[in-house]
Amino acid sequence: MKIYDFNKLSDVEIDQLCSRSLEDDQQVVSTVRDILDGVKSQGDALLRQLAERFDGVKLDLLYLGATELAALAADIPEAARKAIDTAAANIRRFHETQLRQEDRVETMPGVTCWRESRPIESVGLYVPGGSAVLPSTFLMLAIPAALAGCKQIVVCSPPQTDGKTNCYLAYCATLLGIDRLYLAGGAQAIAAMAYGTETIPAVSKIFGPGNRYVTAAKQLVQNRVAIDMPAGPSEVLIVADETANSAYLAADLLAQAEHGPDSQAVLVATSRDILEQTIAELDRQVISLPRRDIAAKALNNSYMIYADTLQSAMQFSNRYAPEHLILATEHFESLLTQISNAGSVFLGNLTPESAGDYASGTNHTLPTSGFAKGYSGVSVDSFLKKVTFQHISPRGLQNLGPTVEILASAEGLDAHRNAVSIRLEELQRTDQNS
């Protein structure tokens, strides 16, 4: 990994380091656009063709039902079942706190306003497959969807070569009461949930992380359906000082790098010794990883930065706006107020990002590629619509009405003004007759 000196970087060079764009991004968009158009016009037929092409499987049915999911789930190892149960309980416990009823507010005498939550009735959840199948993502998406009260939860995940799913996803489905798992992956799954096919229902909002093709598909269907956020290849940025442990740092960098060759792992440290020690640890640890080739490619797309102070390190972090931010320092408390752009933050030397990926309770579906500057991670709120209400009493209309009349007249919208005036005149006649 190349090491840069923060103080010697120009603004242009920092912007280049913070950019996640790749040379073939336009080719990805073109390919995805063709897939979206194809699924929109051909439906299930193209989904079957693409399953054979990309997943190496011929599918008769494009889904697994409750009975088959239960049978597959029965094969889960006991230790894995307990681990999923623990993770699910922690995720549920954290997300339950997000269910809050807001107070009614009297903005002026007789004018009451408030907000109530309503679940999005139909949501689509994408659970990635490919080189790694992610039951943790199933939990992260389906649990807040269920807590929000979504009536229809459509789950898509790529099929295995046997035309099934694995026991881990099947167990998640049975645990969470999902009675159908649709066998579609990649951009074509996003297209199916956006436009609907003969088998897969169209939804109102699509959730879930994925590769560049999935991310491009989500962005392209936004004229048809809402999405949670642009969530592409995974990334981590670690801010470290001399109190950090280089073995821990290397392990955290590799944890992101093994996601895929387009993942990015960045270390910003105030100690040159820590940087050099971490490079040595990366070389030592990567050898033993089953996914070492993938991790090595990701590290080739990654880098390290020397910053002379933690404040400079935080300046770069906020420019980068990482999906995952690790503060590998004993002095993390003093840095909390300096964080403005990050998806999820991991504090101290004993808080690995893996904890949030699986079981601490926070959600791991987070904005990537710098979108943490404007997006939050998935929460119960992501599955809710906020509807505003207002009620105006006779006294309230008398208090508020003249203000509305004046503003409507200023904007030249006479019908708006009249909608208030006609009521005020009626109230005045009623008062005179009483």
Side-chain angles (χ1 to χ4, degrees):
M1 294 174 69
K2 188 172 182 179
I3 300 177
Y4 298 90
D5 188 323
F6 179 74
N7 288 328
K8 295 179 180 179
L9 292 171
S10 67
D11 277 348
V12 171
E13 289 171 326
I14 291 175
D15 286 341
Q16 290 173 343
L17 287 174
C18 291
S19 172
R20 277 66 142 196
S21 62
L22 298 174
E23 290 182 2
D24 62 342
D25 279 352
Q26 289 306 311
Q27 181 59 48
V28 168
V29 170
S30 177
T31 300
V32 168
R33 199 182 301 276
D34 289 343
I35 291 173
L36 297 179
D37 291 342
V39 172
K40 186 176 181 180
S41 61
Q42 301 174 50
D44 285 356
L46 186 61
L47 292 181
R48 290 190 175 92
Q49 291 177 31
L50 295 176
E52 186 171 1
R53 175 182 170 188
F54 294 126
D55 305 309
V57 58
K58 290 186 176 181
L59 295 174
D60 294 324
L61 279 179
L62 288 171
Y63 66 89
L64 301 171
T67 301
E68 197 161 14
L69 288 169
L72 292 168
D75 291 333
I76 190 171
E78 182 65 13
R81 183 192 66 77
K82 290 181 178 179
I84 288 176
D85 287 349
T86 298
N90 288 349
I91 294 165
R92 182 179 298 276
R93 192 172 295 116
F94 176 75
H95 286 77
E96 280 176 339
T97 65
Q98 298 163 12
L99 292 167
R100 294 188 178 95
Q101 183 174 344
E102 299 180 22
D103 293 333
R104 298 191 178 199
V105 178
E106 191 173 49
T107 57
M108 65 192 308
V111 180
T112 305
C113 301
W114 70 98
R115 209 165 65 147
E116 295 183 10
S117 297
R118 297 291 185 271
I120 299 171
E121 293 190 355
S122 178
V123 296
L125 313 182
Y126 182 70
V127 180
S131 60
V133 180
L134 306 177
S136 56
T137 296
F138 203 145
L139 300 177
M140 296 288 177
L141 297 176
I143 288 174
L147 288 172
C150 299
K151 291 181 180 178
Q152 183 180 51
I153 301 174
V154 175
V155 183
C156 284
S157 190
Q160 298 183 149
T161 54
D162 61 359
K164 309 295 183 185
T165 192
N166 65 43
C167 61
Y168 306 105
L169 292 189
Y171 179 72
C172 289
T174 58
L175 176 66
L176 302 175
I178 306 295
D179 59 8
R180 185 170 287 194
L181 179 67
Y182 293 97
L183 300 171
Q188 58 269 29
I190 304 304
M193 291 188 284
Y195 304 120
T197 72
E198 299 90 329
T199 298
I200 300 178
V203 301
S204 298
K205 189 173 183 179
I206 296 174
F207 296 78
N211 60 22
R212 294 160 62 205
Y213 293 87
V214 169
T215 299
K218 287 171 65 178
Q219 291 175 306
L220 288 171
V221 299
Q222 286 187 87
N223 63 340
R224 173 82 179 198
V225 63
I227 67 168
D228 51 356
M229 73 194 82
S234 193
E235 60 195 33
V236 67
L237 186 146
I238 306 175
V239 171
D241 64 6
E242 70 282 354
T243 68
N245 183 310
S246 59
Y248 297 173
L249 298 177
D252 289 334
L253 293 169
L254 289 169
Q256 285 304 304
E258 72 174 354
H259 271 293
D262 51 2
S263 296
Q264 195 167 73
V266 178
L267 174 60
V268 185
T270 60
S271 165
R272 294 187 187 276
D273 288 341
I274 286 291
L275 292 174
E276 296 296 337
Q277 291 166 16
T278 303
I279 289 175
E281 279 290 335
L282 286 169
D283 292 339
R284 185 182 68 81
Q285 293 183 29
V286 72
I287 296 173
S288 62
L289 295 178
R291 296 167 65 88
R292 57 183 171 272
D293 291 340
I294 292 174
K297 289 179 181 177
L299 291 179
N300 286 336
N301 296 327
S302 304
Y303 54 87
M304 297 180 178
I305 292 179
Y306 168 72
D308 55 358
T309 66
L310 285 173
Q311 286 68 35
S312 294
M314 294 306 300
Q315 287 176 25
F316 180 83
S317 176
N318 286 324
R319 291 275 292 272
Y320 187 89
E323 175 190 17
H324 306 103
L325 171 61
I326 299 175
L327 299 185
T329 168
E330 294 177 3
H331 312 298
F332 61 84
E333 288 284 358
S334 64
L335 302 178
L336 297 186
T337 59
Q338 297 182 42
I339 300 169
S340 57
N341 301 318
S344 191
V345 184
F346 303 81
L347 304 175
N349 293 313
L350 295 180
T351 312
E353 185 273 324
S354 302
D357 268 354
Y358 291 105
S360 65
T362 61
N363 207 289
H364 79 199
T365 309
L366 302 165
T368 66
S369 304
F371 284 105
K373 292 178 181 177
Y375 285 86
S376 304
V378 164
S379 67
V380 172
D381 283 346
S382 306
F383 295 90
L384 296 170
K385 299 167 294 181
K386 302 291 186 175
V387 183
T388 58
F389 296 82
Q390 50 260 298
H391 175 260
I392 301 176
S393 69
R395 182 188 180 195
L397 188 62
Q398 290 167 341
N399 287 332
L400 182 64
T403 296
V404 177
E405 287 178 312
I406 292 169
L407 291 173
S409 295
E411 294 186 354
L413 299 176
D414 288 354
H416 280 67
R417 184 195 66 220
N418 292 339
V420 173
S421 299
I422 195 172
R423 288 172 167 82
L424 288 174
E425 290 166 2
E426 179 65 24
L427 285 177
Q428 187 176 16
R429 285 194 296 269
T430 301
D431 289 343
Q432 290 173 348
N433 295 331
S434 61

